[in-house]
């Protein structure tokens, strides 16, 4: 572990001594729950790599595939002007999060010579206007499309593939297949069948790696490598975080402690988890976290108890001016997690001026770096003063190594918390239900019963539509 670049979990403001006895945890109370945390720890570690926890081994077992990806990425960078991911949910949020975190914030607007790779788009919606807009700005003849779907069946992604492949064939004939890379299951689903039949290059999502846990396999590694991101460093960061998350002492294991605190918060009715990075580069990390936390933990247990915490994304400082009022004075139902950056990749001085107006001129001579840090500390103080639970993840800087650590930390926190809640963190019956209903509505074979079920739903009454 590079200690200078080690990310840290600071939970001072979850404790009574910082935010008061009413809301904060006392040491004794926390320590009395360590056995529960250790039970979850044992369960997760005993099963590591098995079933749907194969993602835990991703930092270690991809040597060959990483070399292959690096080579492919180099070829894509040399040949294509656009790299477009077609995917949704776990097949899109990771590539978006890593891309935003680890490239220039105006990446697509930079001249080619200033960019490490082609322009980058992640198409995670099927809004027809968005598809049209994409086709207005790219030239498919110069684009590589990475179709990502674990199930190989998701309607949104398959519809996008149908549209794009048709266009490519019209423009390029037989060469169309050279513009598509499929990332999917090795055997299951339709995409692999299509890929084999049409001759698309394919990368595989290993068994036991579900959508939202897939950023560190080819789902995330290929797009990241195309953007020139150091994927070996990302994996190294994940491996080093794994080492910390394997520690058997609760107060030395960041993900286990974070999971325990989340679990205890849920028990106390803190049903909302706000993720608030103070960096534009980490904006989509918050989106990625929201899916991971929401889809993994939002479950019904034996159809009796419903658990989970609603994740909310916020951006510091922007959302200080929209949401913080609610967090400071609204219901006591939230926990705020700040993500802070020690050293930003830019330093911007604030010019001196308007010396005759002291309320403005006091800012001159500082840097935006100092201002954003002061605002974060001030917000943390205001929340704590109001007795609001909050914690902070500190990133010394944003780079491939710290992002690998951060993503693996959240995955482990989710796994541990799932074990404490006694739920399956790896399924998504609620999502599947919507997928099946879509198939039924569009007349897919095999979904006739579902169609009948849908047709029998209560019809909408005009009187309730104004
Ligand atoms: O986390 C998950 O499993 C889901 O969000 C999926 O990623 C999402 O539904 C897309 O599924 P697929 O990758 O099979 O197209």
């Amino acid at each position: 572990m590079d200690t200078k670049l080690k990310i840290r979990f600071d939970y001072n403001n979850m404790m009574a001594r910082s935010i008061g006895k009413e809301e904060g945890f006392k040491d004794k109370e926390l320590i009395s729950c360590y056995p529960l945390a250790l039970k979850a720890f044992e369960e997760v570690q005993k099963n590591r790599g098995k079933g749907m926890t194969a993602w835990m081994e991703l930092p270690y077992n991809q040597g060959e595939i990483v070399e292959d990806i690096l080579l492919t990425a180099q070829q894509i960078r040399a040949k294509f002007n656009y790299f477009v991911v077609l995917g949704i949910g776990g097949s899109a949020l990771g590539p978006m999060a890593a891309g935003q975190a680890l490239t220039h914030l105006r990446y697509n607007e930079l001249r080619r010579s200033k960019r490490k790779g082609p322009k980058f788009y992640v198409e995670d919606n099927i809004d027809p206007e968005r598809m049209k807009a994409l086709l207005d700005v790219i030239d498919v003849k110069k684009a590589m499309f990475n179709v990502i779907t674990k199930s190989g069946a998701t309607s949104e992604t398959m519809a996008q593939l149908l549209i794009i492949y048709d266009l490519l064939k019209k423009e390029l004939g037989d060469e169309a297949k050279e513009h598509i890379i499929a990332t999917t299951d090795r055997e299951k689903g339709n995409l692999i069948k299509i890929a084999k039949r049409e001759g698309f290059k394919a990368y595989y999502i290993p068994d036991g790696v579900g959508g939202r846990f897939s950023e560190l396999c080819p789902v995330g590694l290929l797009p990241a490598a195309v953007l020139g991101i150091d994927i070996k460093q990302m994996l190294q960061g994940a491996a080093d975080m794994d080492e910390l998350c394997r520690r058997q002492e609760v107060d030395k294991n960041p993900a286990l402690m974070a999971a325990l605190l989340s679990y205890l918060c849920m028990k106390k009715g803190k049903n909302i988890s706000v993720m608030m990075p103070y960096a534009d580069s980490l904006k989509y990390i918050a989106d990625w976290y929201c899916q991971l936390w929401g889809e993994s933990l939002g479950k019904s247990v034996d159809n009796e108890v419903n658990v989970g915490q609603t994740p909310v994304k916020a951006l510091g400082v922007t959302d200080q001016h929209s949401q913080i009022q609610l967090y400071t004075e609204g219901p006591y139902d939230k926990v705020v997690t700040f993500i802070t950056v020690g050293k930003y990749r830019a330093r911007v001085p604030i010019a001196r001026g308007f010396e005759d107006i002291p309320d403005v001129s006091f800012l001159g001579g500082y840097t935006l770096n100092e201002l954003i840090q002061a605002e974060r500390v001030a917000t943390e103080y205001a929340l704590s003063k109001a007795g609001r639970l909050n914690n902070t993840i500190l990133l010394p800087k944003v780079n491939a190594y710290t992002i690998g650590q951060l993503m693996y930390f959240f995955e482990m926190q989710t796994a541990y918390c799932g074990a404490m809640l006694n739920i399956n963190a790896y399924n998504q019956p609620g999502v599947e239900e919507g997928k099946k209903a879509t198939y039924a509505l569009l007349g897919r074979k095999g979904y006739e019963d579902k169609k009948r079920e849908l047709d029998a739903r209560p019809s909408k009454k005009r009187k309730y539509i104004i």
Side-chain angles (χ1 to χ4, degrees):
M1 164 68 74
D2 181 342
T3 41
K4 274 202 243 109
L5 286 177
K6 180 182 168 194
I7 72 165
R8 297 186 189 263
F9 174 61
D10 171 359
Y11 61 99
N12 268 285
N13 296 336
M14 301 294 279
M15 304 305 289
R17 69 175 282 282
S18 297
I19 62 159
K21 285 200 285 263
E22 205 64 45
E23 291 292 306
F25 294 98
K26 291 177 211 73
D27 278 320
K28 249 194 192 163
E29 180 188 1
L30 206 54
I31 291 167
S32 72
C33 296
Y34 283 7
L36 177 119
L38 287 171
K39 193 166 165 269
F41 172 84
E42 269 153 35
E43 190 187 318
V44 170
Q45 291 299 339
K46 184 180 76 200
N47 292 318
R48 71 173 288 138
K50 297 184 202 148
M52 287 308 287
T53 62
W55 59 268
M56 291 173 75
E57 298 301 331
L58 293 174
Y60 310 106
N61 60 11
Q62 297 187 97
E64 258 178 58
I65 201 75
V66 163
E67 294 309 324
D68 188 301
I69 284 175
L70 289 173
L71 195 65
T72 305
Q74 202 182 8
Q75 289 159 355
I76 293 170
R77 284 203 298 269
K79 194 164 165 209
F80 295 96
N81 292 352
Y82 311 95
F83 186 80
V84 184
V85 168
L86 305 177
I88 197 162
S91 293
L93 287 159
M96 271 162 77
Q100 172 82 3
L102 300 170
T103 62
H104 189 283
L105 286 177
R106 309 270 182 210
Y107 176 84
N108 277 356
E109 291 157 54
L110 290 174
R111 280 200 311 276
R112 181 65 183 92
S113 58
K114 297 264 177 196
R115 267 187 277 120
K116 287 194 183 157
K119 288 191 179 181
F120 181 56
Y121 301 90
V122 180
E123 297 305 298
D124 66 341
N125 202 357
I126 44 163
D127 177 339
E129 291 182 23
R130 178 156 160 187
M131 176 57 86
K132 161 120 188 8
L134 174 78
L135 296 174
D136 283 345
V137 298
I138 68 167
D139 174 357
V140 291
K141 296 193 290 305
K142 296 188 178 133
M144 171 60 91
F145 295 89
N146 185 193
V147 190
I148 309 180
T149 163
K150 165 84 178 171
S151 62
T154 303
S155 303
E156 293 89 337
T157 310
M158 298 317 278
Q160 289 173 327
L161 171 63
L162 283 163
I163 295 165
I164 294 297
Y165 195 39
D166 179 60
L167 266 178
L168 285 169
K169 280 193 293 194
K170 282 182 184 139
E171 294 276 354
L172 297 164
D174 281 353
E175 209 201 293
K177 63 175 186 296
E178 312 293 338
H179 288 243
I180 295 187
I181 295 180
T183 305
T184 189
D185 192 275
R186 189 179 289 273
E187 283 165 8
K188 285 179 249 146
N190 302 314
L191 183 56
I192 191 61
K193 277 189 224 144
I194 296 171
K196 282 184 182 154
R197 202 182 62 195
E198 301 298 313
F200 303 156
K201 181 168 176 65
Y203 283 104
Y204 302 118
I205 305 175
D207 286 345
V209 177
R212 54 195 175 273
F213 290 86
S214 65
E215 171 55 18
L216 297 172
C217 81
V219 168
L221 296 181
L222 176 64
V226 170
L227 294 173
I229 293 168
D230 187 340
I231 58 173
K232 288 186 179 170
Q233 275 301 302
M234 267 178 91
L235 290 168
Q236 187 59 50
D240 288 351
M241 178 50 68
D242 183 38
E243 202 183 306
L244 302 181
C245 298
R246 283 163 106 151
R247 288 179 174 166
Q248 231 168 330
E249 295 129 296
V250 185
D251 57 353
K252 302 248 170 348
N253 181 326
L256 190 58
M257 179 56 90
L260 177 61
L261 287 163
S262 301
Y263 171 82
L264 295 174
C265 284
M266 288 184 222
K267 292 278 153 197
K268 285 187 175 184
K270 315 296 172 199
N271 291 324
I272 299 173
S273 161
V274 179
M275 185 55 61
M276 189 163 184
Y278 271 71
D280 275 50
S281 63
L282 303 177
K283 190 169 160 170
Y284 295 127
I285 288 279
D287 287 59
W288 173 83
Y289 163 84
C290 285
Q291 188 216 9
L292 180 69
W293 199 243
E295 204 166 317
S296 302
L297 303 183
K299 299 282 157 70
S300 76
V301 186
D302 302 330
N303 282 329
E304 276 175 22
V305 204
N306 302 93
V307 298
Q309 212 178 25
T310 304
V312 174
K313 53 193 177 189
L315 179 65
V317 302
T318 309
D319 287 311
Q320 282 177 203
H321 298 270
S322 75
Q323 300 176 19
I324 284 293
Q325 171 58 33
L326 170 70
Y327 301 161
T328 315
E329 289 195 350
Y332 284 83
D333 55 359
K334 302 170 199 66
V335 187
V336 178
T337 299
F338 297 112
I339 311 183
T340 79
V341 176
K343 194 162 183 248
Y344 290 83
R345 288 166 288 193
R347 186 177 169 277
V348 178
I350 305 173
R352 291 188 193 279
F354 307 118
E355 299 299 338
D356 54 329
I357 312 174
D359 290 352
V360 176
S361 66
F362 80 96
L363 292 166
Y366 284 112
T367 58
L368 284 183
N369 309 56
E370 286 163 321
L371 181 59
I372 196 169
Q373 296 295 13
E375 294 208 22
R376 180 190 59 73
V377 172
T379 304
E380 186 187 310
Y381 168 72
L383 278 184
S384 305
K385 187 176 164 194
R388 306 303 172 130
L389 292 155
N390 66 91
N391 54 66
T392 299
I393 299 167
L394 301 140
L395 261 68
K397 38 167 118 152
V398 178
N399 64 21
Y401 180 65
T402 57
I403 290 298
Q405 288 180 62
L406 184 67
M407 292 181 118
Y408 200 83
F409 164 82
F410 282 135
E411 290 177 351
M412 286 306 299
Q413 181 190 5
T414 305
Y416 286 139
C417 203
M420 290 174 203
L421 289 166
N422 203 17
I423 48 122
N424 178 354
Y426 304 106
N427 64 2
Q428 50 282 324
V431 178
E432 304 302 339
E433 183 59 27
K435 285 189 180 183
K436 285 180 208 149
T438 306
Y439 299 150
L441 284 170
L442 295 179
R444 183 170 159 188
K445 209 161 162 265
Y447 290 83
E448 296 76 11
D449 287 350
K450 186 56 70 186
K451 177 76 169 66
R452 276 189 285 280
E453 187 189 307
L454 270 152
D455 289 343
R457 72 194 188 277
S459 59
K460 289 204 171 175
K461 290 233 177 295
R462 276 195 72 91
K463 72 171 186 173
Y464 297 131
I465 303 172
I466 301 167

